[in-house]
Amino acid sequence: MVSLKSIWKFLEEVKDPEVPVLSIIDLGIVREVLFVDQKAKITITPTYSGCPAMNHIEKDISHVLNTKGIEFVEVETVLSPAWTTDWISENGKKKLFEYGIAPPVDEPDKSILFAKPIEIQCPQCYSKDTSMVSLFGSTSCKAQYKCNVCLEPFDYFKCLK
Amino acid sequence: MNNKLFEYTLRIADDSLILGQRLSELCGHGPILEEDIALTNISLDLIGQATNLLEYAASIENKQRDADKLAFLRVDKEYKNSLLVEQPNGDFGSTIVRQFLFDSFRRPFFEALASSTDESLAAIAKKSLKETKYHLKHSSEWVIRLGDGTSESHQRVQKSIDVLWRYHSDLFYEDEVDLALVSENIAPSFKEIKKEFNQHVLAVLEEATLKLPDNNWEFTGGRKGMHSEHLGHLLAEMQYMQRAYPNMEW
Ligand SMILES: [Zn+2]
């Protein structure tokens, strides 16, 4: 008998293909795990509507669980409730920072134009003297920043609420 | 009711799809690297929204047309996007003004659709709203920068507003499809949405030292499949692969 706890544990081996230090558990996109009649049913939710990693993630889930001896795997994608960066685990945020991506920080209402910039810490030299280059970056979930002290550019995993 | 729900879902889906396709034309052609990346990320969000909406539309229609078939194999009159989103990219100012008018509509629209009694539309709206807020912040800040920028940028972005403003009415076009769904609390009424739209647009334009044109020209027809000459060209590019090699997959 496969326990639900062990399936959750196995799923930690499935990584986000675009941010490979984060597992799908760290990312908070696994919403439900069921195991009925020898079949695992995993429910996931996308980070962004157009996230191109979702298909990969579905395949990886089936692959990892197959190698653990679970032959029948069904992955379902749901849109509700909509994903938020609040679901990224504390451990996940730590791993992001160590990897060189500044983790999401609570942001004021986005309807305030030219709002006082939020403080994002440089993951290279830890300075808080950084500035935003662009609200959009290499993937849907990131913004581009630069550090005014060590002058390195870096990614910020932007807050989504 | 199902026909109307299909039609309504298609209108929302096609706005995302066609604007997503327009912005994707800028991939590798943005004015600066950061904007190239920003506009194509917005395109990706829009195409993701279109996928969710078209999948839902396909399930309502239930005629063995999946989301891909709906996206790639309709003729121009079957597309129900508003006239605004099919307008060509033009210069950067015009790309931004088109985006700004659209985002200013989409934020209050999704906010209202999020309380739809139709669970699928409400779920898609809640998801899309989070992305739309970023889009709106981006386009609004650019309108202000360009409007209150150099005399060249001011003059160009003002010209884009003068040209594109006539298409904004099509976003608020309402007919028996909307009215039937409004009475079921599936679709939100445009009244409040239009108020919020106007408020945001006017506040940003004022900050940007820009103004609305003096005329009251209004162009509508997109929701009925009556499009400008630009849509056909866009579809020729978008549908080329499926028309030339039917059923091909990546
Ligand atoms: Zn630094």
Side-chain angles (χ1 to χ4, degrees), chain A residues 46-47 49 83 112 114 137 159, chain B residues 37 41 127 130-131 134 141:
Chain A
T47 52
S49 298
W83 182 81
I112 305 166
F114 300 108
C159 172
Chain B
I37 293 169
N41 262 299
K127 176 111 205 111
K130 297 183 183 195
E131 295 152 8
Y134 271 109
E141 289 184 353

Side-chain angles (χ1 to χ4, degrees), chain A residues 46-50 79-80 82-84 107 110 112-114 133 135-137 139-140 144 158-161, chain B residues 34 37-38 41-42 44-45 48-49 52 123-124 127 130-131 133-135 137-138 140-141 144-145 204:
Chain A
T47 52
Y48 282 74
S49 298
L79 294 179
S80 180
W83 182 81
T84 153
E107 286 175 29
K110 273 182 279 294
I112 305 166
L113 301 176
F114 300 108
V133 176
L135 207 48
F136 296 88
T139 63
S140 311
Q144 299 174 62
K158 64 193 179 203
C159 172
L160 192 72
K161 287 203 176 195
Chain B
E34 286 76 13
I37 293 169
N41 262 299
I42 294 169
L44 186 63
D45 287 342
Q49 294 167 8
N52 292 333
I124 294 171
K127 176 111 205 111
K130 297 183 183 195
E131 295 152 8
K133 285 182 181 169
Y134 271 109
H135 304 171
K137 187 175 169 66
H138 173 256
S140 301
E141 289 184 353
I144 295 170
R145 276 206 185 94
V204 169

Side-chain angles (χ1 to χ4, degrees), chain A residues 122-127 130 147-152 154:
Chain A
C122 168
Q124 313 292 339
C125 74
Y126 313 135
S127 163
T130 62
C147 176
N148 299 325
V149 175
C150 73
L151 305 179
E152 285 291 319
F154 65 92

Side-chain angles (χ1 to χ4, degrees), chain B residues 4-12 109 113 178 181 187-188:
Chain B
K4 291 200 168 86
L5 185 58
F6 174 70
E7 187 69 21
Y8 183 71
T9 306
L10 218 49
R11 291 175 180 182
I12 313 170
F109 173 71
L113 189 65
D178 307 81
L181 297 177

